[in-house]
Amino acid sequence: MKKIFIAMTVVMSCIMLSCSCHSSLEIDIPELNSGKVYVVFADPDQINSRQQENLAEADIKQGNLVLDLDSIRFDSKYKDCTISIISDERQFRCNLPLPLEKGKTIKLTITGIKEYLESKEALRVSYSGSKQAEVFSEYWKQVNDSFIELAKGEDYNKICDKWVKLNKDFLKQYPQSAFPYTVIISQIGNIPNLDNPLLKYCEELSTQESKNKWHNYLVEAYKERVRKEVIAKKMVFAAKDMEGRDFSERNFANKLTLLHFWAVQSPKCVDALAKIDAMNKKYGDKGLQIVNISIDPMPNAWIEWSKNNNLPQYNLFADGAIITQRYNFNNIPFYMLFDKQGNLIAKDNMLESLEQNIVSNLDKQE
């Protein structure tokens, strides 16, 4: 009887221990005196419908917080979330990935706030409490290090090669994860051409099947990027002149055409206008058609400037949000050279980089 009682006690102890395992988050951020913490979750379906779940929130005091997450519903062993931390005085704010695991206490340690606020360094972030958290901690450190390298002038394709390797290695261990996919998705709009290693990796992923919703979300984003690349190779735009008359690519057909996107409010653009004038004097009479399109946020700035200044050939205004999205560029001035059929020949932020293409294509017209 005594043996049976002991055996039952052992069984009950094991049950109690298994029941006592709970999910929680421990935050250590010594440089933050007080603030708010929000744990948020959104899968691709919720993102498409512009919804998200606020899973938990709490006040952080004296740089420490233990947050009970037992109320969170785990559809699987892991749940990839986002954590937002805001200091009470609103001086410090950050959004970070948060890899949770059912039945585990995940510890998040954040240091380097002073350097971060002074724009000297990225936040120093580490995760622990589970094997996945530890692996993710190293992955996330290398991702952030690569962004720093990029800011210092490292070759973009080289950085993309690094991201591909990091993502492949992490997904090999945790194929259900969202984070590697979100890193790539954040970059798809910045990638200059389809030969980029990251887009080649996206192409590879598009041929594979996966139950991971983020995999499928990335594949759709990649397909949209390819579609935009095709559109960006044709001269298509809608613009107006100072009198409000409509212009489009149809007004400039059958000639070698240089589209020059700029803004009056950009000193760099204004300084570069002399190059446009010189290019017109050199090649305008030989068949080069220059279409200057201001994408100023406010058209009045362009109108006032145009009253007192002249541009060679055509001076138009267009919606910058539409133009930059269609042709996938962020920095101006930006130049695009199209042939007589409206097909893209070359594009660049430096006008002189297009001169050889201009010369060779003018020769073809003769």
Side-chain angles (χ1 to χ4, degrees):
M1 187 70 181
K2 186 176 181 180
K3 290 181 179 179
I4 293 174
F5 177 77
I6 292 172
M8 289 181 63
T9 302
V10 170
V11 170
M12 290 300 296
S13 297
C14 291
I15 293 173
M16 292 299 292
L17 282 171
S18 65
C19 290
S20 67
C21 290
H22 67 278
S23 308
S24 62
L25 171 65
E26 183 179 334
I27 301 174
D28 183 18
I29 181 168
E31 296 170 65
L32 181 66
N33 184 48
S34 60
K36 293 286 292 185
V37 172
Y38 302 90
V39 177
V40 178
F41 173 81
D43 64 18
D45 294 334
Q46 291 168 312
I47 289 176
N48 286 332
S49 59
R50 298 189 177 185
Q51 296 178 345
Q52 65 180 22
E53 295 179 58
N54 295 315
L55 301 180
E57 64 178 77
D59 295 315
I60 187 168
K61 300 293 185 183
Q62 303 301 319
N64 289 283
L65 171 67
V66 177
L67 186 58
D68 190 329
L69 301 178
D70 280 339
S71 61
I72 292 179
R73 180 172 60 87
F74 284 78
D75 295 325
S76 62
K77 185 179 180 180
Y78 305 105
K79 196 175 188 75
D80 291 342
C81 301
T82 300
I83 184 168
S84 296
I85 303 174
I86 308 170
S87 64
D88 283 344
E89 70 279 4
R90 303 277 172 170
Q91 183 182 11
F92 171 74
R93 177 191 298 263
C94 71
N95 294 303
L96 295 168
L98 181 63
L100 298 179
E101 185 172 339
K102 188 175 183 179
K104 297 286 187 178
T105 296
I106 303 302
K107 183 173 181 179
L108 173 61
T109 304
I110 304 171
T111 58
I113 290 180
K114 182 176 183 293
E115 293 82 1
Y116 172 75
L117 292 176
E118 293 173 353
S119 300
K120 292 181 179 178
E121 292 183 17
L123 285 173
R124 294 188 288 276
V125 182
S126 67
Y127 302 82
S128 59
S130 73
K131 177 62 176 177
Q132 186 208 21
E134 292 169 3
V135 173
F136 179 78
S137 187
E138 180 59 27
Y139 164 83
W140 191 244
K141 178 182 181 301
Q142 292 191 56
V143 168
N144 277 294
D145 286 347
S146 66
F147 276 111
I148 293 171
E149 291 170 10
L150 191 61
K152 291 180 178 178
E154 183 61 81
D155 179 72
Y156 187 68
N157 279 4
K158 185 176 179 180
I159 295 296
C160 287
D161 271 326
K162 183 175 182 178
W163 286 335
V164 170
K165 184 180 185 308
L166 285 171
N167 287 355
K168 282 185 174 181
D169 290 346
F170 189 82
L171 287 172
K172 187 175 181 180
Q173 296 183 72
Y174 301 100
Q176 85 295 332
S177 179
F179 299 128
Y181 293 111
T182 57
V183 169
I184 300 174
I185 291 167
S186 72
Q187 292 300 304
I188 279 184
N190 301 326
I191 298 172
N193 58 69
L194 297 181
D195 292 329
N196 178 274
L198 206 56
L199 281 185
K200 288 293 184 183
Y201 177 51
C202 291
E203 182 181 17
E204 177 187 329
L205 290 173
S206 70
T207 65
Q208 303 171 3
E209 292 186 2
S210 174
K211 294 181 180 179
N212 189 326
K213 287 185 177 181
W214 286 99
H215 176 281
N216 301 324
Y217 188 72
L218 171 62
V219 169
E220 289 304 312
Y222 165 70
K223 290 179 179 178
E224 178 64 14
R225 175 68 178 82
V226 172
R227 188 186 70 82
K228 287 183 177 180
E229 185 75 11
V230 173
I231 293 173
K233 290 182 178 179
K234 296 293 291 186
M235 185 168 67
V236 179
F237 66 87
K240 294 180 181 293
D241 66 5
M242 284 187 63
E243 284 71 44
R245 291 174 297 196
D246 292 324
F247 285 80
S248 74
E249 71 283 352
R250 291 185 293 274
N251 297 99
F252 306 101
N254 302 318
K255 290 189 73 174
L256 183 67
T257 303
L258 177 69
L259 294 189
H260 163 222
F261 298 107
W262 70 295
V264 171
Q265 294 169 316
S266 165
K268 185 178 178 181
C269 287
V270 175
D271 290 343
L273 292 180
K275 296 179 181 179
I276 282 289
D277 189 55
M279 190 69 73
N280 179 61
K281 290 176 180 177
K282 197 171 183 179
Y283 301 111
D285 292 339
K286 297 178 180 179
L288 176 65
Q289 181 173 241
I290 299 177
V291 183
N292 304 284
I293 301 179
S294 165
I295 55 172
D296 278 279
M298 299 297 290
N300 287 342
W302 165 72
I303 291 173
E304 290 303 314
W305 184 92
S306 299
K307 287 177 180 178
N308 303 305
N309 298 274
N310 293 315
L311 278 171
Q313 301 197 35
Y314 300 93
N315 182 20
L316 306 175
F317 178 86
D319 187 324
I322 295 174
I323 290 291
T324 53
Q325 184 177 28
R326 174 173 293 148
Y327 291 123
N328 192 37
F329 68 91
N330 297 310
N331 298 316
I332 50 176
F334 188 67
Y335 309 95
M336 304 184 74
L337 185 66
F338 295 88
D339 65 17
K340 293 171 65 174
Q341 288 74 42
N343 299 310
L344 180 66
I345 298 170
K347 59 183 178 180
D348 208 290
N349 289 107
M350 303 294 291
L351 183 56
E352 49 269 35
S353 299
L354 301 182
E355 186 164 6
Q356 185 55 51
N357 284 300
I358 291 171
V359 172
S360 60
N361 280 274
L362 285 174
D363 289 342
K364 292 177 184 178
Q365 294 183 170
E366 294 179 357

